[in-house]
Amino acid sequence: MQLYDHGGDASQGACCAGQDIHARAMSPRAWGAHYVLDYEARFQEKVIEPFARAYVAGETPIPCVAATST
């Protein structure tokens, strides 16, 4: 699942970035199909932006809890 753009210099171990994306080449032989679901825009809208607004307003948001309740 891709939740944000890591760019070309992403650190190893980050989801769908850097060397991790090369699993695509390996997956048909080892595990079957490999899909990357791009939820970047939805994550930005539903998690990042509400978190930033709440934080700026002086609140202490918990984005994972807030995102699951909407």
Side-chain angles (χ1 to χ4, degrees), residues 11-39:
S11 63
Q12 187 174 358
C15 175
C16 306
Q19 293 180 354
D20 295 339
I21 203 70
H22 295 295
R24 261 189 217 185
M26 180 79 176
S27 65
R29 286 178 273 149
W31 306 287
H34 178 261
Y35 300 97
V36 175
L37 305 175
D38 185 356
Y39 288 110

Side-chain angles (χ1 to χ4, degrees), residues 49-62:
E49 291 173 3
F51 173 85
R53 283 193 300 272
Y55 190 79
V56 168
E59 300 172 6
T60 308
I62 304 172

Side-chain angles (χ1 to χ4, degrees), residues 42-67:
R42 184 180 295 181
F43 186 69
Q44 178 73 26
E45 175 189 347
K46 301 287 186 180
V47 179
I48 301 297
E49 291 173 3
F51 173 85
R53 283 193 300 272
Y55 190 79
V56 168
E59 300 172 6
T60 308
I62 304 172
C64 294
V65 173

